Amino acid sequence: MDEVAALLHRRGERMTRPREAVITALAARSGHVSVEDVLRDVSRLDPRVHRASVYRTLEALSAAAIVQHVHLGHGGTVYHIREQDEDHLYVQCRDCRLIIDVPRAQLDAMGEILRRHYDFELHPTHVALSGLCGRCRARRATGPSGS
Amino acid sequence: MDEVAALLHRRGERMTRPREAVITALAARSGHVSVEDVLRDVSRLDPRVHRASVYRTLEALSAAAIVQHVHLGHGGTVYHIREQDEDHLYVQCRDCRLIIDVPRAQLDAMGEILRRHYDFELHPTHVALSGLCGRCRARRATGPSGS
DNA sequence: ATCTTTGCAAACTTTTTGCACCAAT
DNA sequence: ATTGGTGCAAAAAGTTTGCAAAGAT
């Protein structure tokens, strides 16, 4: 928390109650937190904090590179505290919404192709890829009658 | 258009004026059309068509697999008429929003890794990857002072 | 004639903004 | 004392819904 405060101060910004609450909320969950989750958790942590402050705080913390967001195909955007070695990408199951972190090394083949053939530099952490996890694939094979 | 009508009829559904307008709007643009674009184009093509009908039509056409959507990291969701050989994925520049279609073959390395190591079947057309195209990377290097 | 789809209006959800006040530095 | 940030309330954006009427088959 002090680290975060220092980062903010370096930018001429301040550590405040709403910001503490947002950071606490993000830290409490392992990662992949939706705005909705943040709003709910923050208002539990400190009911005085207003929605608008949560939105503004997420924006400020993003600008300061303290938090990062990942767009999911469905289900909007999730936030998490940025780690120094943010070297994985996200893959999400389109059925159960499970998110899997994949080491960035795995993406290098793709990144290399994009760079070479398309002069395009991939930022693999920004958007989650979509697909089907094994469990949901099995469930679909069995048929939705199974439920 | 008749093809689409046939597909709808096969599902016990009907071809109507709003649906024609939406399909015309989607066909007129090469692809990657936002709801906003569809709404605007449709109301030009036929001002009697209501917004709500556009939303409902996009949903119906999606359900019938006549149109498909792609989630972009920023800028929401874009629609396009589904092609039989939908074998490319999308990559989008985070600065200029340019969308590049990449042949699916290029993604096979990644797809293979996900399948083998994570038991995850990638649906690569559903979400656009994000990154920086060459032009924007150059512009950033020059510095935003260049504009 | 039947039954799907439409237009409309209103509701809803989510996010943003203007502004006076509060509070971190 | 500064001036960045907050809470509030209202507006803005984007999407959905109930319903009576219209229209495709």
Side-chain angles (χ1 to χ4, degrees):
Chain A
M1 185 66 74
D2 290 344
E3 278 179 66
V4 172
L7 284 166
L8 288 172
H9 292 159
R10 210 168 301 162
R11 293 169 54 93
E13 296 180 10
R14 298 169 188 182
M15 176 55 88
T16 63
R17 214 151 35 67
R19 292 176 176 194
E20 274 193 44
V22 168
I23 291 158
T24 303
L26 289 175
R29 306 207 179 218
S30 49
H32 317 313
V33 193
S34 67
V35 180
E36 200 185 340
D37 287 336
V38 177
L39 285 168
R40 190 164 25 66
D41 290 359
V42 163
S43 92
R44 274 178 196 156
L45 285 165
D46 187 341
R48 288 168 298 178
V49 175
H50 195 267
R51 289 192 307 288
S53 297
V54 172
Y55 283 107
R56 288 185 283 222
T57 294
L58 284 173
E59 197 187 338
L61 294 177
S62 295
I66 293 163
V67 310
Q68 201 173 41
H69 65 264
V70 177
H71 295 285
L72 307 176
H74 286 117
T77 304
V78 292
Y79 292 80
H80 61 93
I81 293 173
R82 183 159 162 270
E83 286 157 50
Q84 50 285 63
D85 57 333
E86 185 77 9
D87 62 351
H88 53 277
L89 68 141
Y90 306 91
V91 171
Q92 184 182 40
C93 176
R94 65 156 64 176
D95 274 8
C96 70
R97 306 284 165 88
L98 171 75
I99 296 174
I100 300 174
D101 292 15
V102 178
R104 181 185 179 118
Q106 311 279 33
L107 194 67
D108 279 357
M110 190 68 208
E112 185 59 22
I113 287 166
L114 288 172
R115 196 175 309 116
R116 268 223 292 271
H117 296 2
Y118 299 92
D119 189 27
F120 189 94
E121 181 185 292
L122 190 58
H123 291 174
T125 66
H126 191 238
V127 173
L129 296 173
S130 177
L132 271 183
C133 71
R135 231 171 15 133
C136 289
R137 205 164 54 249
R139 190 162 44 62
R140 284 195 175 198
T142 313
S145 53
S147 169
Chain B
M1 185 65 74
D2 291 343
E3 277 180 67
V4 172
L7 285 166
L8 287 171
H9 291 160
R10 209 167 302 162
R11 291 169 55 92
E13 296 180 11
R14 297 169 187 183
M15 176 56 87
T16 62
R17 213 152 36 65
R19 291 178 176 192
E20 272 193 45
V22 168
I23 291 158
T24 304
L26 289 175
R29 307 206 179 218
S30 49
H32 316 314
V33 192
S34 67
V35 179
E36 200 184 340
D37 288 337
V38 177
L39 285 169
R40 190 163 27 65
D41 291 358
V42 163
S43 92
R44 275 179 197 155
L45 285 167
D46 188 340
R48 289 168 297 179
V49 174
H50 195 269
R51 292 192 306 289
S53 296
V54 172
Y55 283 107
R56 287 185 284 220
T57 294
L58 285 173
E59 196 186 338
L61 294 177
S62 295
I66 292 163
V67 310
Q68 201 172 41
H69 64 265
V70 177
H71 295 285
L72 307 176
H74 286 116
T77 304
V78 292
Y79 292 80
H80 60 92
I81 292 175
R82 183 158 162 268
E83 284 157 51
Q84 50 286 62
D85 58 333
E86 185 78 6
D87 63 351
H88 53 277
L89 67 142
Y90 306 91
V91 172
Q92 183 183 41
C93 176
R94 65 156 66 179
D95 274 8
C96 71
R97 305 282 165 90
L98 172 74
I99 296 174
I100 300 174
D101 292 13
V102 179
R104 184 190 176 117
Q106 310 279 32
L107 194 69
D108 279 357
M110 190 64 207
E112 185 60 23
I113 287 165
L114 288 171
R115 197 173 311 117
R116 267 223 292 271
H117 295 4
Y118 299 92
D119 189 25
F120 190 93
E121 181 185 290
L122 190 58
H123 291 174
T125 66
H126 193 236
V127 174
L129 296 173
S130 177
L132 270 183
C133 70
R135 232 170 16 131
C136 290
R137 205 164 54 249
R139 188 161 45 63
R140 284 195 174 197
T142 315
S145 52
S147 169

